[in-house]
Amino acid sequence: MSCLPTPEARHAKEVNQQIQRDLKKHKKDLKNTKKLLLLGTGESGKTTFIKQMRILHGKPYSQAELDNFRTLVYRNIYIAVQILIDAMDRLSIQYEEAPVEAETNRILEIDYENLPDQLPPADYSYINKFWKDKGVKQCFEKRNKFQISDSAEYFLDALDRVKEDDYNPTREDIVRVRLKTVGVHEYNFNIHGQNFLMVDVGGQRGERRKWISSFENVQSVIFLTAISEYDQVLAETEEDDNRLLESLQLFETIIRYPWFKNAAIVVFFNKFDLFEKKILTSNLEEYFPYEGPRADVEEAKNYIEQMFSEVYGGRGEKLSTHFTCATDTDAMGKIFEAVKSYILSQNIKEIAGGNFS
Ligand SMILES: Nc1nc2c(ncn2[C@@H]2O[C@H](COP(=O)(O)OP(=O)(O)OP(=O)(O)O)[C@@H](O)[C@H]2O)c(=O)[nH]1
Ligand SMILES: [Mg+2]
């Protein structure tokens, strides 16, 4: 009887060796992957940040994904109009030219979960006239009194473009379109040789109890706060809770979690583009005990940054912060490079037995 292995045995051995090699590589990849958790209240910009990472470092969006974004754009438009119709009524603002009631009712009853992939001409013509109405514009100026997406104006202004048959969402449309996140979602990116596992979570109150499932083995956290929300109230409660205060309280809760004791923490003061404009007309001292000069972007932003730094203070090291506009692709690319260096330097310190013990 021959002692030579049969072809089957040789093949089995080869397969086994390949599996071992794959497992080893997978383990090495896992070890070299940094887990980055994105946290923050609803609409702070977490998913927008992930979209930018995909645009900058991921695979291009497929046509099926673009088609999906197109429907979402229409959905964003209908929701914005429905919110404005309701706000006109609640704030008792007169239309310049009142729309036909039956038409308004039809728009209000649109089931935006089941939208066609085209904006029907009758709806376009209603929305076009509605958005040009001086009363509606007046109502929109009072938007801190009700909850409307920060991208509503962008899409209502783009109505003529997005109604076209051959409309395909642009890069900017993709980062502007809003869909609230439900649950926890993981994304892998290789950014200049470094693997990241980025975790996006739903930030609204009802979503936060699901967060804990993603807290294990986190090397870094980006906490996003929408700095422009200092004069806005929370949509998800009956009470008039201030949105920036809610974000500050959430930050305080998070940095006390034992899971993040050794994690690098970075804060993005996001929606800085909106903040810069808003601070010129909406006084910070009406919402926070701020005593600095009015309409002063620098003073106001430093004051808000200080509130977060004080809360963070206990951890003994200066808080890493960035003032960001998550819808700006180029700027986000640059900011993330700085964040990446910071995360890696903090993790090296930790390995060397440094600061965060
Ligand atoms: N103008 C402006 N809009 C922004 C900015 N960042 C995000 N947005 C818009 O704000 C909306 C909400 O952003 P999302 O990224 O969906 O917020 P989120 O934190 O993922 O919200 P949840 O999924 O509910 O937790 C989207 O329509 C974004 O386009 C910004 O810096 N400036
Ligand atoms: Mg989201």
Side-chain angles (χ1 to χ4, degrees), residues 46-48 178-181 200-203:
K46 300 177 293 298
T47 303
T48 311
R178 159 82 179 145
L179 179 65
K180 94 166 185 180
T181 304
D200 183 22
V201 299

